[in-house]
Amino acid sequence: QVQLVESGGGLVESGGSLRLSCEASRRIFSMNPGAWYRQAPGKERELIGRLTSGGTATQSDSVKGRFAISRDIAGKTMYLQMNSLEPEDTARYYCYARIQTTVEGFVEVWGQGTLVTVSS
């Protein structure tokens, strides 16, 4: 079964940048739509951005202008570029995608999450 493997999390100082990656574990037809969520301790999971099948990316107000979502040409990896990080961005970040695994087969998959910690 296909999985989404996340990487790129870690500890960064306030004002710094990180890039998260979300890669399908095996060959797929497409990964559309895709999205990034985050969950801070004691809080609900929050949608922070989407990437449509047409390649249009949208972000929530809380990260607009600082975070950007993109996808590689092969369509197998999705990215979350995070700039001007703030301590309030500390959370576990999850990717999500509707993956086409065969001509007629689709499956919704979540990544395992990667922890981002921003120090003040």
Side-chain angles (χ1 to χ4, degrees):
Q1 182 167 343
V2 64
Q3 296 178 330
L4 290 176
V5 181
E6 299 183 39
S7 61
L11 175 64
V12 63
E13 292 185 350
S14 182
S17 298
L18 284 174
R19 188 172 85 152
L20 306 184
S21 298
C22 172
E23 182 177 8
S25 60
R26 61 175 178 84
R27 188 172 180 176
I28 59 174
F29 279 70
S30 66
M31 187 161 67
N32 295 305
W36 284 94
Y37 292 75
R38 67 184 179 186
Q39 186 166 20
K43 295 187 177 181
E44 295 185 354
R45 189 170 294 190
E46 172 193 14
L47 172 66
I48 57 173
R50 296 178 188 269
L51 187 61
T52 69
S53 58
T56 301
T58 59
Q59 297 81 34
S60 67
D61 289 342
S62 63
V63 304
K64 193 171 294 184
R66 300 187 299 123
F67 291 12
I69 298 175
S70 62
R71 183 170 52 222
D72 70 343
I73 295 176
K76 186 183 174 185
T77 305
M78 188 168 56
Y79 302 99
L80 178 65
Q81 177 67 43
M82 304 185 294
N83 300 322
S84 302
L85 283 161
E86 305 167 350
E88 293 73 23
D89 295 317
T90 294
R92 181 167 291 274
Y93 286 70
Y94 298 88
C95 62
Y96 157 86
R98 183 172 183 262
I99 296 177
Q100 184 177 8
T101 55
T102 64
V103 174
E104 298 181 351
F106 294 85
V107 61
E108 297 186 348
V109 183
W110 287 88
Q112 82 283 4
T114 185
L115 184 62
V116 172
T117 303
V118 184
S119 63
S120 57

